[in-house]
Amino acid sequence: MPQPSTGTLLFVGCATLDSIALVQDYPAADSRTVASDFATAGGGPAATAAVAAARAGARTAFAGVLGTDEEGDRIVAGLEAEGVDTSAVIRDAGVKTGASVIVVSRATESRAIVTRPVPPVSFPAGSRFAELLASAAWVHVDHLGWNAVAGAGADGLKISVDAGNPIPSFSPRGVALYVPTIERLRAEYGEDLSPGDLLGKAVDDGASAVVATAGSEGAWVLERGGESVHVPATPATIVSTLGAGDVYHGALLAAVAAGLPLVDAAAFAGRTAAASCAGLDGRSMIPRQTISPVPA
């Protein structure tokens, strides 16, 4: 059984402030649609993953780049309220904080996102980021955080990668926990391969362990030297799936760091992500919970 990791889980990458409206059907052009609910909440893959891990009892920190605007202030306040260390966040007066307007359709259980891009993620030499990177038990990156960590020298780090979005110049070689979608693996290795073969290709390319998610179909898990295992999805009452994948990543890493075997960690992450779908935003319904390691 994996041994629990002590120390901070460092999440690096994207943070946004999201304004979200729940409607029955998407509005037509030049129309006025009444929303049944409306929320403003923090978002972004790495930032939301940090919140999910913190609510699972992990010690967490977030590193990213925000403007010196109101949106940035609200993002930092929201993370700190969850107990997430924000000391490595860069506040840059020359950029605008990432923000999105999101319309969620109840009829189709889908969403449409209009977004202001997140500033590039980089950190100056000698920054607090370097200190946290050197001492972290695990480092989790999204598509924007990968280059910042790889460029800082990833040798010896236990890295978890959210590969739901394309990452230019990415290779899973040396990645301890690679978490793509099945669709991403199919795009990389071929549409005709089985899930087990797709995960095997990623391990052959250097990942130590792979957890590939497939929404309502659950996830597939493979560790180097083992056999692939399918983990069924947890039934969910869905208001919105916004941020569910990000919640999954944070809960998965928290469970792995707490010492759960990878299959059990994937099941825990699935339950946590399913619970989060009961909320309109990606964070309000993330459960606060304690991870109990499986007895030896």
Side-chain angles (χ1 to χ4, degrees), residues 20-24 33-38:
I20 312 143
L22 178 64
V23 300
Q24 183 62 26
T33 299
V34 176
S36 58
D37 199 2
F38 193 89

Side-chain angles (χ1 to χ4, degrees), residues 172 178 184-191 193 198 201-203 205:
Y178 177 39
R184 177 59 45 202
L185 292 181
R186 285 175 177 150
E188 181 70 21
Y189 298 117
E191 294 287 338
L193 296 178
L198 290 168
K201 291 283 189 182
V203 168
D205 278 349

Side-chain angles (χ1 to χ4, degrees), residues 194-201 203-204 208-212 219-231 261-264 266:
S194 69
D197 288 340
L198 290 168
L199 272 67
K201 291 283 189 182
V203 168
D204 290 343
S208 298
V210 184
V211 178
W220 283 265
V221 174
L222 177 63
E223 296 182 82
R224 182 177 298 279
E227 299 291 331
S228 64
V229 177
H230 178 241
V231 180
L262 192 56
V263 169
D264 295 300

Side-chain angles (χ1 to χ4, degrees), residues 211 219 221 231-232 234 248 252 260-273:
V211 178
V221 174
V231 180
T234 301
Y248 185 100
L252 177 69
L260 262 64
L262 192 56
V263 169
D264 295 300
F268 173 83
R271 294 191 299 270
T272 304

Side-chain angles (χ1 to χ4, degrees), residues 1 3 6 87 101 118 120 125 127 140 161 194 207 217 244 246 252 258 274:
M1 184 175 70
Q3 295 301 308
T6 59
S87 61
V101 175
V118 174
S127 66
H140 176 82
V161 178
S194 69
E217 296 179 25
D246 310 327
L252 177 69

Side-chain angles (χ1 to χ4, degrees), residues 31 36 56 61 64 95 119 133 135 161 169 181 183 188 207 216 222 225 243 255 261 266 276 287 295:
S31 68
S36 58
V95 302
L133 191 68
S135 62
V161 178
S169 72
T181 61
E183 290 80 4
E188 181 70 21
S216 61
L222 177 63
S276 76

Side-chain angles (χ1 to χ4, degrees), residues 66-79:
L66 306 174
T68 55
D69 44 27
E70 180 185 358
E71 292 93 334
D73 293 343
R74 294 177 68 176
I75 288 170
V76 169
L79 291 171

Side-chain angles (χ1 to χ4, degrees), residues 99-121:
S100 298
V101 175
I102 302 167
V103 179
V104 176
S105 167
R106 190 188 296 274
T108 61
E109 294 184 351
S110 62
R111 58 187 181 268
I113 301 175
V114 180
T115 190
R116 181 169 70 198
V118 174
V121 176

